[in-house]
Every structure is written in C-alpha cells, then in structure tokens.
C-alpha cells in the first residue's frame, strides 16, 4: 500500500498532536496542552484506510491504539464474541463498543510510559450494564448490590466511597423522579 500526498499529515500534523516525533523518542509540546481531533475525509479509494494503517504501524509500539470497523458486526475483530443481543437487557452495541475500546486502549505498548485507565468509563459501564429495574420496595437491595459491585471494581477506599455515594444518590433521585416516589 502506497501513500501519496500524505507527507504533511504523517510528518508534521500527527506528531504534533500525538506529542511524539515520528521516529525516535523525542517528545513534542502539544498545542494548547491537549491533543486535538482531526477528521480525514474523502470518497472511496482516497487513502483514508491506508493513512490509518500507516499511522498504526508507525506508532504501534509507542501509543495505545484501538481499531473498530463500525460497519462490521464484530467491529472488524475476528473472534470477538458476538455483540449484545436482546437477551441482555442492559447491553447494547454501544456498551460492547465501549468495553472493547477500553480494553484495547488499556493495553500498554512497549515504548509507552504507562498504562491507561478509564475509571469513570468503568464505573459508568458497570452501573449501566448491571442495573436492573426494581420495585420501590427492592431499591435498598438493588443499591447494596450496585454498591458491592462498585466496591469490588474500585480499590481505593475513600475514592470508592465518594463515587458510590454519588452514584447511589443519582440513581435514587432518578428512580424517585421517574416513579413518582421519594428516594430514601
């Protein structure tokens, strides 16, 4: 696969956004302090996929990466477990995609300084995919179940307690408002 007319993207734009020189370990200052987003658009056969593959190869051992083909049923990942179906009420194609991306981006490449973690996404996916609709009389047990799951997933005690308290308050208020009953 040959790239034509992409030198500026590969040699100037992407390194400045990633914060790493294309070759070597030189770190660059990211404009404005945080990476930007670039969208490379074009019709069929204009080199979008070739550009992504080239970037993936150049940064594979230096930057966490994830690739998902949103048009493919398995996100373009052979062997990926079939996506959510109607049997799992709280799972969806979106939650499956978020779990997949979180897993891939959590893998530490050899030349990358540290492992990425996604505590807010983890807590949100845990709450969304484990919550079950309950009757008002079952709210206390449901809150305990959710608090237990959150506690297991969050090792730092104070941070966990703060997050659990916040989640429980939000869930109780949301259910109370939706069902016409008061939380408590």
């Amino acid at each position: 696969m040959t790239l034509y007319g992409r030198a500026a993207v590969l040699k100037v734009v992407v390194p400045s956004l990633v914060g790493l020189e294309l070759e070597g370990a030189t770190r660059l200052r990211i404009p404005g302090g945080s990476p930007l987003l670039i969208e490379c658009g074009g019709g069929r056969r204009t080199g979008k996929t070739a550009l992504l593959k080239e970037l993936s190869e150049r940064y594979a051992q230096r930057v966490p990466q994830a690739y998902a083909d949103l048009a493919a049923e398995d996100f373009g990942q052979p062997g990926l477990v079939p996506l959510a179906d109607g049997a799992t009420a709280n799972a969806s194609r979106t939650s499956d995609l978020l779990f997949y991306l979180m897993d891939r981006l959590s893998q530490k490449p050899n030349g990358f300084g540290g492992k990425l973690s996604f505590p807010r996404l983890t807590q949100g996916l845990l709450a969304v995919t484990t919550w079950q609709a309950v009757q008002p009389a079952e709210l206390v047990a449901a809150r305990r179940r959710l608090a237990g799951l959150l506690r297991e997933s969050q090792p730092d005690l104070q941070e966990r307690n703060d997050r659990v308290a916040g989640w429980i308050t939000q869930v109780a208020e949301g259910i109370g408002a939706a069902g016409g009953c008061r939380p408590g």
Side-chain angles (χ1 to χ4, degrees):
M1 195 175 314
T2 305
L3 295 174
Y4 297 100
R6 305 279 190 249
V9 172
L10 292 170
K11 294 180 180 175
V12 179
V13 176
V14 171
S16 71
L17 295 175
V18 172
L20 294 171
E21 285 288 346
L22 195 56
E23 303 293 331
T26 305
R27 300 193 56 67
L28 302 170
R29 190 177 143 276
I30 297 175
S34 61
L36 304 172
L37 174 71
I38 290 184
E39 178 180 346
C40 294
R44 293 185 60 147
R45 304 188 60 83
T46 57
K48 299 181 301 287
T49 301
L51 177 61
L52 289 174
K53 286 184 179 183
E54 181 70 20
L55 290 171
S56 178
E57 289 170 9
R58 290 181 184 215
Y59 288 98
Q61 296 303 315
R62 303 171 70 204
V63 178
Q65 299 181 35
Y67 174 80
D69 180 351
L70 301 181
E73 192 169 304
D74 61 356
F75 297 127
Q77 305 303 312
L80 193 63
V81 175
L83 301 174
D85 56 13
T88 309
N90 294 9
S92 68
R93 183 164 169 81
T94 302
S95 63
D96 286 348
L97 175 62
L98 289 171
F99 272 111
Y100 165 72
L101 292 174
M102 181 175 65
D103 176 68
R104 295 300 303 150
L105 293 172
S106 296
Q107 306 300 315
K108 182 183 175 296
N110 293 338
F112 191 68
K115 184 177 176 184
L116 296 178
S117 63
F118 302 89
R120 291 183 183 132
L121 179 58
T122 301
Q123 298 294 302
L125 285 170
L126 182 62
V128 166
T129 58
T130 61
W131 183 256
Q132 299 172 2
V134 295
Q135 298 298 319
E138 300 168 316
L139 276 176
V140 172
R143 279 188 249 165
R144 282 192 194 119
R145 200 169 38 250
L146 178 59
L149 290 168
L150 292 171
R151 188 173 11 328
E152 290 172 18
S153 73
Q154 192 80 29
D156 180 76
L157 183 61
Q158 185 58 48
E159 184 179 1
R160 181 189 66 229
N161 288 343
D162 294 344
R163 285 195 182 171
V164 168
W167 280 98
I168 290 174
T169 300
Q170 290 176 0
V171 169
E173 289 172 353
I175 290 172
C181 59
R182 300 185 70 117

